Amino acid sequence: RGTNGEKKIIKDADGNVIEEIVTKEPVPGNTVMLSIDLSIQSVASESLQTVIKDLQSQKINATTGSVVAINVNSGEVIASANCPTYTLDEYQNNYTALVSDPANPLFDRAFNGTYPPGSTFKPGIAAIGLTTGKITGDETIYCKQEYTYYSDMTFRCLGYHGSTTVVEALSVSCNYFFFETGRRIGINVMNSYCQLMGLGVRTGVELPESAGTLAGPAYTNSINASWYPGDTLQAAIGQSYNLFTPLQLATYTATIANGGTRYNSHLLYQVKSHDLSETIVDNTSY
């Protein structure tokens, strides 16, 4: 932001201005440039609206959603769309209606909404298992649907996949494979790698964001609950207490996609002087 100027106004007895004296020159603010790509943002927003309408046409109660896309080699946020959304005109002229809308269009789901990751968590578990040597690329784990490693509890896969490699397990989203992989890894190692990939920690974006929730003993202790071996299995398939923002999931996915480098997610591309003659901040070298 710039700073306001000041001027002294001298009037005669009838209130007519007879002189204006500038005592402090105004300083114009800088120009902020974002990393958002207008064309991708437009596609993301329109596609999100289309998907929600399609789901509603199938009698599915879908009213809200979010899309985040980032550059995997820089962390630049190139699209961030929410549904429902609003225009600046609505914000200025119908603010009361926006606030009272039960769908909460003013809430930034992309950066602050937290949701169970489900099977989107499994590529991370695969990467952790391979990195730590708890599984290998050509090893097979036999999925017999019911996972009974712990005699006092049974967990189920949605299918019966037989001998399954990690690639096959990802292609069919085999719960059994990732129950076993998660058990071998253990929750503490699992979570330390998850944080390295951007889950359960803030991404660094320049706007308020949620840190999400990483399921594990630290979280259950914070809510006066206990952590059991079975919870580790549930966490390994993206369930239990795991809750992440769309931005965190995009950051985590990008970290895997680029080979393991986690960049701070950022919206700020450049800051220039008001006349664009001087660069104040430059994030283009990420």
Side-chain angles (χ1 to χ4, degrees):
R1 293 185 178 183
T3 57
N4 293 331
E6 296 177 1
K7 67 180 178 180
K8 183 185 294 184
I9 299 175
I10 300 174
K11 299 181 180 180
D12 62 18
D14 296 323
N16 299 310
V17 177
I18 58 175
E19 188 177 5
E20 293 186 2
I21 304 171
V22 176
T23 59
K24 181 182 177 181
E25 292 288 345
V27 178
N30 295 323
T31 299
V32 175
M33 299 179 177
L34 302 183
S35 58
I36 294 292
D37 183 299
L38 182 59
S39 60
I40 297 176
Q41 175 72 18
S42 178
V43 169
S45 182
E46 293 173 4
S47 297
L48 177 59
Q49 298 279 351
T50 298
V51 168
I52 289 178
K53 289 178 181 178
D54 287 346
L55 291 172
Q56 291 173 343
S57 70
Q58 300 171 41
K59 309 301 181 183
I60 296 173
N61 185 25
T63 57
T64 64
S66 178
V67 175
V68 176
I70 65 177
N71 185 326
V72 300
N73 293 316
S74 68
E76 290 176 355
V77 180
I78 56 178
S80 177
N82 288 296
C83 183
T85 187
Y86 58 92
T87 65
L88 286 178
D89 181 67
E90 290 172 323
Y91 185 85
Q92 293 169 351
N93 300 310
N94 296 298
Y95 183 77
T96 301
L98 291 175
V99 170
S100 60
D101 187 336
N104 200 1
L106 295 176
F107 181 57
D108 183 9
R109 291 170 170 81
F111 294 175
N112 289 286
T114 57
Y115 310 97
S119 291
T120 63
F121 198 64
K122 290 173 180 174
I125 298 302
I128 297 168
L130 292 166
T131 300
T132 58
K134 299 300 182 181
I135 59 172
T136 63
D138 55 3
E139 176 185 4
T140 60
I141 293 175
Y142 192 83
C143 169
K144 54 184 180 180
Q145 195 168 56
E146 290 190 351
Y147 186 85
T148 56
Y149 182 88
Y150 299 110
S151 59
D152 58 340
M153 60 188 76
T154 299
F155 298 88
R156 292 181 61 84
C157 184
L158 297 178
Y160 184 98
H161 301 115
S163 295
T164 309
T165 65
V166 62
V167 172
E168 293 167 340
L170 286 170
S171 69
V172 297
S173 193
C174 177
N175 286 348
Y176 191 105
F177 187 99
F178 291 102
F179 288 148
E180 174 62 15
T181 303
R183 183 194 66 78
R184 295 182 189 181
I185 295 169
I187 192 62
N188 292 328
V189 173
M190 185 190 305
N191 284 354
S192 66
Y193 275 90
C194 284
Q195 289 177 328
L196 291 174
M197 290 188 284
L199 298 175
V201 293
R202 288 181 172 83
T203 67
V205 75
E206 299 90 348
L207 291 176
E209 63 170 327
S210 171
T213 301
L214 196 56
Y219 178 73
T220 53
N221 287 341
S222 73
I223 60 172
N224 297 317
S226 299
W227 186 261
Y228 300 100
D231 293 325
T232 299
L233 307 187
Q234 293 290 82
I237 61 169
Q239 297 181 13
S240 184
Y241 298 100
N242 283 319
L243 296 171
F244 307 125
T245 67
L247 177 60
Q248 285 176 316
L249 288 172
T251 301
Y252 141 83
T253 304
T255 302
I256 295 174
N258 69 29
T261 300
R262 178 167 72 87
Y263 296 95
N264 282 342
S265 300
H266 59 282
L267 278 164
L268 188 63
Y269 186 72
Q270 281 185 325
V271 178
K272 289 182 173 290
S273 57
H274 73 285
D275 60 359
L276 307 182
S277 64
E278 182 184 357
T279 300
I280 312 299
V281 176
D282 189 357
N283 283 342
T284 60
S285 60
Y286 270 84

